[in-house]
């Protein structure tokens, strides 16, 4: 990663944040593990300043905590944290699906179809990282298509934690089928069905994630990056 910001690229601190966020979400950096600024800076080929700024951004997102004498630690999410996140997610995504069914355009539907198909192909290949990426992107696109600025404003500060939540996925095939059902309802403009399917989707995800937390296990394919 170059030290200077190149034309058309996001600021360096945001590039570092995205890299660290991906590693946290994918389990490469595990809950409770310490993040050392100097090691991250050395590995990414940047100074410590953008790393420090990126860590502050991740702290504001709730993905890391800074503790006296212990430094920067990846946050551990307990069942109460997850329940609280799902309560907020349920309210946001039901509204997003309803509004998306009312306000979707042809390009929006093309994008959702592409994401749904990419998720299906990733399942066939057994590419869990791509399954997780398309899962996050699908939900983020529904928020965008809903075209409600206040909804977007509520979503943004929680984005990091929600992306972590989307990647806690032990039932990728079920998640893909539910995305396809939501897409069909949005495409048909059936706002009440889209909202009902979104509610079902979030509640089944809640049960899945809480069960995973109760019985921690190593996800296949979640090892360090090459």
């Amino acid at each position: 990663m170059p030290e200077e910001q190149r034309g058309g690229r996001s600021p360096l601190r945001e590039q570092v944040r995205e890299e660290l966020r991906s590693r946290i979400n994918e389990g490469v950096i595990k809950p409770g593990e310490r993040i050392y600024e100097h090691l991250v800076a050395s590995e990414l080929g940047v100074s410590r300043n953008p790393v420090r700024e990126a860590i502050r951004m991740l702290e504001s997102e709730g993905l890391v905590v800074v503790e006296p004498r212990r430094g920067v630690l990846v946050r551990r999410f307990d069942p109460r944290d997850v329940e609280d996140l799902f309560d907020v997610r349920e309210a946001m995504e039901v509204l997003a699906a309803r509004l998306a069914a009312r306000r979707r355009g042809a390009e929006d539907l093309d994008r959702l179809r592409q994401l749904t198909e990419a998720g299906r192909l990733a399942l066939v290949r057994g590419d869990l990282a791509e399954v997780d990426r398309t899962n996050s992107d699908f939900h983020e696109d529904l928020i965008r298509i809903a075209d409600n600025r206040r909804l977007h404003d509520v979503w943004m500060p929680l984005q990091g934690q929600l992306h972590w939540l989307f990647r806690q996925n032990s039932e990728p095939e079920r998640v893909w089928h539910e995305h396809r059902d939501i897409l069909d309802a949005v495409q048909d403009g059936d706002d009440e069905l889209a909202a009902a399917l979104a509610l079902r989707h979030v509640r089944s995800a809640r049960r899945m994630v809480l069960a995973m937390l109760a019985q921690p296990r190593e996800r296949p394919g979640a090892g360090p990056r090459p």
Side-chain angles (χ1 to χ4, degrees):
M1 182 180 294
E3 178 65 35
E4 71 277 0
Q5 178 187 346
R6 295 184 176 178
R9 299 195 67 182
S10 58
L12 194 54
R13 65 181 178 276
E14 294 183 10
Q15 296 176 45
V16 175
R17 177 189 62 174
E18 288 303 314
E19 178 63 24
L20 289 175
R21 182 197 274 169
S22 293
R23 295 184 186 193
I24 291 169
N25 287 339
E26 293 172 15
V28 177
I29 309 176
K30 301 185 183 304
E33 189 172 333
R34 185 171 174 183
I35 297 176
Y36 295 90
E37 287 181 8
H38 67 286
L39 293 180
V40 173
S42 176
E43 180 183 352
L44 298 182
V46 301
S47 68
R48 293 180 67 170
N49 191 54
V51 176
R52 192 173 297 116
E53 292 176 347
I55 286 172
R56 282 199 292 266
M57 295 166 80
L58 292 172
E59 184 182 17
S60 71
E61 292 179 8
L63 285 179
V64 304
V65 293
V66 180
E67 297 185 358
R69 297 183 295 279
R70 295 191 66 196
V72 181
L73 304 174
V74 176
R75 180 176 179 177
R76 295 182 186 274
F77 287 89
D78 62 28
R80 174 60 188 271
D81 293 325
V82 172
E83 288 277 17
D84 289 348
L85 271 175
F86 269 110
D87 287 343
V88 175
R89 181 182 164 191
E90 183 175 303
M92 288 192 297
E93 293 201 35
V94 170
L95 175 59
R98 178 178 286 114
L99 293 177
R102 295 174 185 171
R103 298 175 177 174
R104 80 279 187 262
E107 290 185 3
D108 298 324
L109 293 173
D110 284 345
R111 166 73 175 166
L112 285 179
R113 288 190 204 99
Q114 290 168 11
L115 285 172
T116 306
E117 177 64 6
R120 184 188 70 80
L121 293 174
L123 271 173
V124 171
R125 296 194 306 271
D127 185 346
L128 293 181
E130 180 67 5
V131 169
D132 289 340
R133 186 192 67 77
T134 57
N135 185 12
S136 295
D137 287 353
F138 183 91
H139 290 279
E140 194 162 306
D141 252 37
L142 281 179
I143 296 292
R144 180 185 59 78
I145 296 167
D147 194 25
N148 182 300
R149 285 178 293 179
R150 295 295 175 263
L151 177 59
H152 183 265
D153 289 346
V154 173
W155 173 275
M156 287 305 293
L158 293 170
Q159 190 177 36
Q161 294 180 58
L162 289 168
H163 281 197
W164 174 85
L165 202 61
F166 296 142
R167 291 176 183 269
Q168 311 312 304
N169 183 3
S170 62
E171 302 172 20
E173 188 168 351
R174 177 190 59 76
V175 169
W176 177 80
H177 281 293
E178 291 179 359
H179 283 185
R180 188 184 62 186
D181 291 343
I182 293 170
L183 166 61
D184 289 344
V186 169
Q187 180 173 287
D188 292 343
D190 191 333
D191 57 347
E192 290 306 317
L193 179 59
L197 292 171
L199 179 61
R200 183 191 71 176
H201 181 56
V202 176
R203 289 183 174 175
S204 61
R206 183 195 295 254
R207 291 191 293 271
M208 174 185 68
V209 175
L210 288 172
M212 289 177 67
L213 286 179
Q215 299 179 339
R217 61 184 178 84
E218 192 71 22
R219 279 192 69 190
R225 295 182 176 181

